[in-house]
Amino acid sequence: GAGVSQSPSNKVTEKGKDVELRCDPISGHTALYWYRQSLGQGLEFLIYFQGNSAPDKSGLPSDRFSAERTGGSVSTLTIQRTQQEDSAVYLCASSRGYLNEQFFGPGTRLTVL
Amino acid sequence: GIQVEQSPPDLILQEGANSTLRCNFSDSVNNLQWFHQNPWGQLINLFYIPSGTKQNGRLSATTVATERYSLLYISSSQTTDSGVYFCAAAGNTPLVFGKGTRLSVIA
């Protein structure tokens, strides 16, 4: 079956602009996660959605970052007023339930000029 | 929160050699996964192994939860095995990743 998909695959933006990154999880997976991978910080958790529960936002680095998940499926990660330190690969993952095996998408490489 | 440490950080092997990668974690886990990150950045699932032993072809993994470590074995390595291997663990929080082991297999 189809895996996790993300779009766009690459995004180049100017400092101060807003960006939206999209994630389509595996069908039937109730849990969805966002991570980012950067040279200095490795792979770090950002935010997690499980069913209709309130998301766990404990990993978001600042209030410029937000995410939503519509209809329990597609998720959008929004970064407002981008900064150069936001440059990273943003990875989305999904799982059947919380703490089950997670499967990752190919990522969106964000470059902030 | 949980801490995850991987060793060695770098490993160079001759094709055909065997290797063992180690992952230590600081607390009890409900999820432990091994991934291979290919040169294009895709994280490929190798094992979901919060405890016990699993094998898949030339790869196998063992997690000893009571002693808080997991091992990934690669036998008869091939150049296509090159890349970064990540261990990630979760207690009651989302996955925490180690810094990875960068493996280079030379023909």
Side-chain angles (χ1 to χ4, degrees):
Chain A
V4 178
S5 61
Q6 294 186 243
S7 61
S9 55
N10 282 285
K11 177 71 176 179
V12 179
T13 191
E14 295 179 348
K15 178 182 172 181
K17 301 282 190 183
D18 298 352
V19 295
E20 286 188 351
L21 313 179
R22 177 187 168 105
C23 171
D24 283 87
I26 294 172
S27 177
H29 281 193
T30 60
L32 186 148
Y33 314 78
W34 284 97
Y35 297 83
R36 74 175 175 182
Q37 185 172 25
S38 55
L39 284 176
Q41 300 299 321
L43 265 152
E44 55 180 344
F45 161 74
L46 297 177
I47 187 170
Y48 149 70
F49 297 88
Q50 169 59 46
N52 296 321
S53 302
D56 176 354
K57 306 179 182 179
S58 60
L60 294 178
S62 79
D63 59 8
R64 296 184 297 104
F65 289 71
S66 63
E68 62 178 20
R69 188 178 185 192
T70 54
S73 182
V74 171
S75 177
T76 302
L77 177 69
T78 301
I79 309 174
Q80 296 179 310
R81 305 181 302 282
T82 52
Q83 304 294 312
Q84 288 181 332
E85 62 262 29
D86 300 334
S87 295
V89 176
Y90 289 82
L91 294 161
C92 176
S94 70
S95 63
R96 285 196 183 280
Y98 188 49
L99 298 178
N100 292 131
E101 185 177 7
Q102 294 183 29
F103 296 86
F104 281 76
T108 294
R109 181 175 297 277
L110 175 66
T111 304
V112 182
L113 301 176
Chain B
I2 197 167
Q3 309 290 319
V4 179
E5 293 185 356
Q6 292 186 243
S7 60
D10 295 280
L11 185 59
I12 301 174
L13 295 177
Q14 200 73 33
E15 196 170 29
N18 303 328
S19 62
T20 301
L21 282 57
R22 187 176 179 102
C23 172
N24 292 332
F25 44 92
S26 61
D27 207 342
S28 58
V29 297
N30 294 303
N31 179 354
L32 188 134
Q33 293 185 237
W34 284 96
F35 299 91
H36 176 212
Q37 189 165 42
N38 66 21
W40 297 271
Q42 175 76 52
L43 283 169
I44 309 297
N45 287 42
L46 297 178
F47 295 102
Y48 170 76
I49 189 167
S51 64
T53 297
K54 292 185 177 179
Q55 180 156 8
N56 184 2
R58 295 182 296 104
L59 303 182
S60 63
T62 295
T63 297
V64 183
T66 54
E67 297 188 22
R68 297 183 182 167
Y69 72 87
S70 183
L71 302 174
L72 177 69
Y73 305 96
I74 305 174
S75 64
S76 304
S77 58
Q78 301 176 357
T79 55
T80 52
D81 295 333
S82 296
V84 182
Y85 289 80
F86 288 102
C87 169
N92 290 315
T93 57
L95 286 175
V96 174
F97 282 78
K99 295 186 184 300
T101 292
R102 182 173 298 276
L103 175 64
S104 299
V105 181
I106 301 170

